[in-house]
Amino acid sequence: AVFGRTDEVAQVVGIDTRTGSQRIVEIGSLTPAVSLAWLDAGTVILSMLDPTTAPIQLWLVSYPKGELTRLTNDPNQYIGLDVTADRSALVTARAEATSSVWTSDTAGAKWTQTVPEMPQKGPIGFDVAWLGDDLIFPSLATGTWTLERWRASTRTTETLATGGAMPQVSPDGSIFFFDFDARQMFRMDASGRNKTRLEHRRPDLRLTPDGKQ
């Protein structure tokens, strides 16, 4: 069995090694992560990301029905797996991660940890953007995507939008971001209000420096 994916639906694909024929099992909106293995003739075990809970967990998928059963349920991430020959035990790697935001002058000579370290209950790797002296960045510290604003004046963090990530800030202070729940780009003001959906369904929007395009 191997992983496949369309734009919206994850799949497990069974391939007959003698004939090459395929049997596709759709598994909804979950995102395949790293690895999968046969547990028995009717069950596949795999690591997947559930957007509603964020961490990469281990799941059981009945084959070919595609019924899902969650095997692990905690704030850690389980990446990669293998099973013993008799299928009585499995091995996986557990990842525990934290993140913080650091700033520097353009020479990069001195870096300062601006936003304190926080636990990350999901994949790490995100964009940050300046809003004046403040920072806009996505976080998974709560277990789901949230778009946060770090206020330099009070050294506190506030949530601007749930489901938000990949922020960009225009010169007028408008925040453009991708909403993973709606799978759409949005624009809002610096306070998180006046959220407007844009006709753009991929998280790859880039603004020109003057903010006009």
Side-chain angles (χ1 to χ4, degrees):
V2 296
F3 277 136
R5 183 168 176 82
T6 66
D7 286 341
E8 301 292 340
V9 180
Q11 302 171 336
V12 169
V13 182
I15 302 173
D16 190 311
T17 57
R18 295 167 299 177
T19 65
S21 63
Q22 298 184 10
R23 174 174 284 180
I24 297 174
V25 179
E26 293 188 352
I27 51 178
S29 61
L30 281 77
T31 301
V34 177
S35 185
L36 81 169
W38 288 106
L39 188 59
D40 54 48
T43 310
V44 176
I45 182 171
L46 66 167
S47 57
M48 289 193 297
L49 172 66
D50 182 352
T52 63
T53 57
I56 298 172
Q57 298 281 292
L58 297 182
W59 295 74
L60 300 176
V61 181
S62 65
Y63 185 86
K65 291 184 178 180
E67 296 173 345
L68 289 168
T69 303
R70 191 161 173 167
L71 184 61
T72 56
N73 189 11
D74 56 52
N76 299 309
Q77 298 192 82
Y78 297 93
I79 302 171
L81 61 95
D82 197 9
V83 295
T84 57
D86 63 2
R87 300 300 192 263
S88 64
L90 67 87
V91 63
T92 185
R94 186 174 73 182
E96 300 175 357
T98 59
S99 69
S100 60
V101 180
W102 294 67
T103 58
S104 172
D105 60 20
T106 54
K110 183 179 180 181
W111 289 88
T112 302
Q113 188 181 46
T114 306
V115 180
E117 192 172 85
M118 69 191 82
Q120 286 296 106
K121 299 179 181 179
I124 291 202
F126 51 74
D127 294 327
V128 294
W130 288 107
L131 178 62
D133 292 330
D134 296 349
L135 289 166
I136 309 297
F137 63 95
S139 171
L140 278 165
T142 62
T144 58
W145 286 109
T146 58
L147 197 63
E148 307 287 335
R149 177 175 180 175
W150 168 261
R151 290 189 177 271
S153 59
T154 60
R155 299 188 64 79
T156 57
T157 302
E158 64 186 60
T159 298
L160 298 179
T162 58
M166 300 180 171
Q168 292 188 71
V169 178
S170 65
D172 68 356
S174 296
I175 300 171
F176 294 78
F177 67 98
F178 187 76
D179 188 313
F180 278 103
D181 295 333
R183 295 179 180 271
Q184 195 89 21
M185 291 294 301
F186 283 83
R187 179 180 62 223
M188 63 183 175
D189 61 29
S191 65
R193 294 190 291 269
N194 300 317
K195 186 177 176 182
T196 304
R197 182 190 297 263
L198 304 180
E199 294 303 319
H200 189 73
R201 296 185 61 84
R202 296 186 61 84
D204 52 7
L205 181 146
R206 290 294 181 268
L207 301 176
T208 55
D210 60 11
K212 295 181 179 179
Q213 298 182 62

